[in-house]
Amino acid sequence: MRRLLVIATTLLICLMAAGSSQAAAPRAFYGVIPANDPDSTEIARMGAGKVGTLRINFVWGAVQPTAGSAYDWSHYDAIIGPAAEQGIRVLPTVYSSPAWAADRPNHPPSKDHLNDFRAFVQAAAARYGANGTYWTEHPTTPKLPVIDWQLWNEVNSPSFWFRKPSAKQYVGLLRVFNGGVKAGDPSAKVVLAGLFRTPQIKNGIDLDRFLPQIYRRKAKGLFDAVALHPYATTPRDALEAVKETRKIMGRFKDRRTPLWITEVGWATGGNPPTALTVSPQRQASYLRKTYGMMARNRGRLKIAGVIWYSWRDVPGPIWFFHTGLFTQDFDPKPAWDAFVGLTGGNP
């Protein structure tokens, strides 16, 4: 009888462990990215909902609008400080160039301004990193330094790079970025740009071609994490994209490097209607399934975290303006309830 009781207890513990694998994911696993930088009210709502990671676009021109001008960190102080007070870790994506450093904002800095770019990212890491000046200047703010720094966004699409994306060009910028970030904070981690699986645009390069090109450029030592944007028809298809990415990494003997999903989501409106446009109820269901599948596979696939795009709807007719967990008026959608159901936060 005692033996049967031990067996039954063991089975119950195993079942509970299997069912709680999703809940066991750390808070930082559950992230969001706003289409526009959030204000303090929004950050407080994120904190109540136990958002773990806040991904933001970290814009060089917002800090140094003119060549040679002193850095003005006030815009990002007003995000990173309140986020730390709410227990939210910030993941900055350094994306876009000021008008004085490139022909267009979505272009990387010109060769003449690569040293300026390196100095900027070094200063940013030195301010917000492990021993950053921000934390010494604000001793009453809970210290929650920026650990991960992401270089650019969706660089295998011409929407976020030159007219023709190039792994060679990206690796060149990555080399400069890595040097600057590590000089500013030796403990910092560099994250590759989130890659589209199959960019549906002229001159876009599929992930299964672009990522190998990065490895072949001997860039493995220049980054600490790969990133993916697995927009897909269903959550299961999104997971397949993650598996495919991990296989590519394995081919280049990179099985231990973490993999971030720095964007994924479905819209509740907008044009044109696509497979990524669903009802509010299905958006909530897909959110639960996506985080559930990713959490259950996070150990095997080394998934560091999942960032939902986006936090809140913004005005505009295109579908990706309507992927928010909240409406434009800041009314919660069912997906927000689903999110806090996973994190254990308050809606």
Side-chain angles (χ1 to χ4, degrees):
M1 183 71 178
R2 182 179 178 183
R3 183 181 178 187
L4 290 174
L5 181 60
V6 170
I7 293 172
T9 302
T10 302
L11 287 172
L12 180 60
I13 291 172
C14 291
L15 288 170
M16 289 175 65
S20 64
S21 61
Q22 178 175 312
R27 178 175 172 179
F29 187 82
Y30 300 94
V32 297
I33 174 173
N36 297 319
D37 287 340
D39 59 25
S40 58
T41 300
E42 291 177 280
I43 293 173
R45 190 70 177 269
M46 293 177 191
K50 292 191 177 179
V51 168
T53 298
L54 169 60
R55 179 179 173 235
I56 59 170
N57 286 325
F58 201 87
V59 178
W60 182 9
V63 176
Q64 194 178 31
T66 58
S69 62
Y71 299 132
D72 178 0
W73 302 107
S74 57
H75 180 79
Y76 294 107
D77 285 358
I79 297 173
I80 291 173
E85 291 172 355
Q86 297 294 333
I88 303 169
R89 195 173 292 279
V90 174
L91 194 168
T93 299
V94 179
Y95 166 68
S96 84
S97 299
W100 56 268
D103 292 336
R104 296 184 181 181
N106 62 318
H107 287 184
S110 66
K111 291 182 180 179
D112 293 340
H113 293 290
L114 287 177
N115 286 337
D116 297 315
F117 179 70
R118 188 188 190 282
F120 162 66
V121 297
Q122 179 175 337
R127 181 163 184 80
Y128 299 115
N131 296 304
T133 55
Y134 177 83
W135 310 109
T136 56
E137 291 172 8
H138 300 82
T140 61
T141 300
K143 187 177 178 181
L144 198 60
V146 172
I147 296 174
D148 300 288
W149 295 85
Q150 186 173 37
L151 175 61
W152 231 256
N153 185 62
E154 296 171 352
V155 292
N156 58 333
S157 168
S159 298
F160 295 93
W161 196 253
F162 292 117
R163 184 174 297 177
K164 291 185 178 181
S166 163
K168 178 181 178 180
Q169 291 171 344
Y170 179 70
V171 170
L173 187 64
L174 178 65
R175 197 173 303 279
V176 174
F177 183 78
N178 177 280
V181 167
K182 303 284 185 174
D185 178 8
S187 66
K189 306 295 183 184
V190 171
V191 182
L192 289 184
L195 299 177
F196 275 131
R197 187 184 191 184
T198 54
Q200 302 295 314
I201 188 170
K202 183 181 179 181
N203 294 327
I205 303 175
D206 289 355
L207 181 144
D208 62 4
R209 289 176 51 214
F210 196 89
L211 185 56
Q213 288 172 10
I214 290 177
Y215 281 109
R216 291 181 184 121
R217 289 283 167 186
K218 302 187 184 304
K220 184 178 175 182
L222 299 176
F223 59 87
D224 303 287
V226 171
L228 173 67
H229 292 178
Y231 289 102
T233 304
T234 66
R236 186 165 297 280
D237 194 36
L239 179 62
E240 287 302 313
V242 177
K243 292 178 180 178
E244 290 171 12
T245 305
R246 180 52 70 186
K247 286 180 181 178
I248 294 170
M249 296 170 69
R251 290 204 329 252
F252 291 91
K253 304 186 187 314
D254 199 11
R255 294 178 175 85
R256 295 184 179 181
T257 296
L259 177 58
W260 272 95
I261 298 167
T262 47
E263 281 184 32
V264 69
W266 284 265
T268 56
N271 295 310
T274 70
L276 296 175
T277 306
V278 297
S279 69
Q281 291 72 27
R282 178 158 291 186
Q283 183 195 43
S285 173
Y286 277 5
L287 182 147
R288 279 191 295 268
K289 289 179 180 178
T290 298
Y291 276 102
M293 289 179 181
M294 300 302 176
R296 287 191 293 273
N297 287 277
R298 71 186 183 89
R300 182 170 66 91
L301 298 176
K302 294 181 173 54
I303 302 171
V306 180
I307 310 293
W308 183 269
Y309 185 87
S310 62
W311 165 247
R312 180 178 180 179
D313 290 351
V314 294
I318 306 174
W319 68 269
F320 53 76
F321 293 157
H322 302 274
T323 53
L325 302 176
F326 291 82
T327 67
Q328 294 178 43
D329 296 327
F330 209 16
D331 294 323
K333 298 182 187 179
W336 174 241
D337 292 328
F339 188 94
V340 298
L342 297 172
T343 64
N346 296 317

